[in-house]
Amino acid sequence: MGQTESINEEEITLQDIQELYRKFAFECPSGNLHLHEFKRIFGVNCTSSAEEAAYMENVFRSFDVNQDNKIDFMEYVAAIHLVLRGKLEDKLKWSFKVYDSDGNGCLDRREVKQVLTIIYMLKKHNNPAPQAKVEDICDRIFELVDVNHDERISLEEFMEGAQKDPWVLEQLRLDITPCGWFMNSKTRS
């Protein structure tokens, strides 16, 4: 689930929505997806690090639009649509929201390092080859993206930096990989 422009512009049909609902209702009989279920979908369990759990909590919070600590069917459909078919600009806004763990509308070095650390931990599971230091990557991101050098990255700076520099986009990409029924819910994409 990275930030690449969706090439599939096919409309979602009523049949697609009905199938999504059927799967959602089966997996979430209460009609809501709760944080513990969300974490399970993304493979976060008791052996996961505190950072991985916190990261998934931020992702969950970003999809829980009405902030009621559960994802209802409409929020679920919006999340699926964003992840699978969303425009780059919308995905970047979502990514910013995940990075912004304190919700103050800007990113400081701690927030960027925290998410980069988790992303690199997750990438290391798939590719154990040596990777650059998170501290160095964070420094370079701030050098390229923090245009006014105030040690904070605004949404505007985040979006402009990611859209104009492929390296920055690659570093800021949120690659979260759901498993099981969540991914099987993809609508013909």
Side-chain angles (χ1 to χ4, degrees), residues 37-176:
E37 296 162 324
F38 187 81
K39 285 181 177 180
R40 186 187 75 237
I41 289 167
F42 288 94
V44 175
N45 55 41
C46 61
T47 64
S48 300
S49 70
E51 291 86 5
E52 288 172 306
Y55 175 64
M56 277 301 124
E57 288 171 20
N58 281 353
V59 172
F60 179 86
R61 178 183 50 82
S62 75
F63 290 143
D64 181 17
V65 177
N66 63 1
Q67 300 177 352
D68 63 355
N69 295 318
K70 55 193 173 203
I71 295 175
D72 62 30
F73 181 68
M74 292 305 292
E75 291 167 327
Y76 166 76
V77 170
I80 292 282
H81 181 73
L82 172 71
V83 168
L84 299 177
R85 297 170 179 241
K87 295 179 181 173
L88 179 60
E89 184 176 311
D90 295 329
K91 290 180 178 186
L92 288 171
K93 287 177 183 176
W94 168 69
S95 295
F96 184 87
K97 191 174 180 181
V98 172
Y99 272 88
D100 187 15
S101 60
D102 63 10
N104 69 353
C106 62
L107 308 179
D108 58 32
R109 286 181 182 272
R110 180 194 56 77
E111 290 170 317
V112 172
K113 277 189 237 175
Q114 180 181 15
V115 175
L116 288 174
T117 299
I118 295 162
I119 288 171
Y120 276 85
M121 284 172 51
L122 297 173
K123 285 182 179 180
K124 198 177 273 190
H125 291 308
N126 298 329
N127 179 12
Q131 299 171 349
K133 287 180 166 178
V134 169
E135 185 76 35
D136 295 339
I137 293 168
C138 184
D139 289 345
R140 184 159 178 223
I141 287 171
F142 269 82
E143 182 182 306
L144 294 170
V145 176
D146 183 18
V147 178
N148 63 3
H149 307 290
D150 65 353
E151 291 298 307
R152 298 177 343 168
I153 297 174
S154 68
L155 174 60
E156 182 179 306
E157 289 171 323
F158 184 89
M159 296 198 43
E160 285 178 14
Q163 288 178 357
K164 78 177 182 187
D165 190 315
W167 181 85
V168 171
L169 179 61
E170 178 64 26
Q171 301 311 307
L172 297 175
R173 176 177 301 163
L174 295 181
D175 284 323
I176 57 175

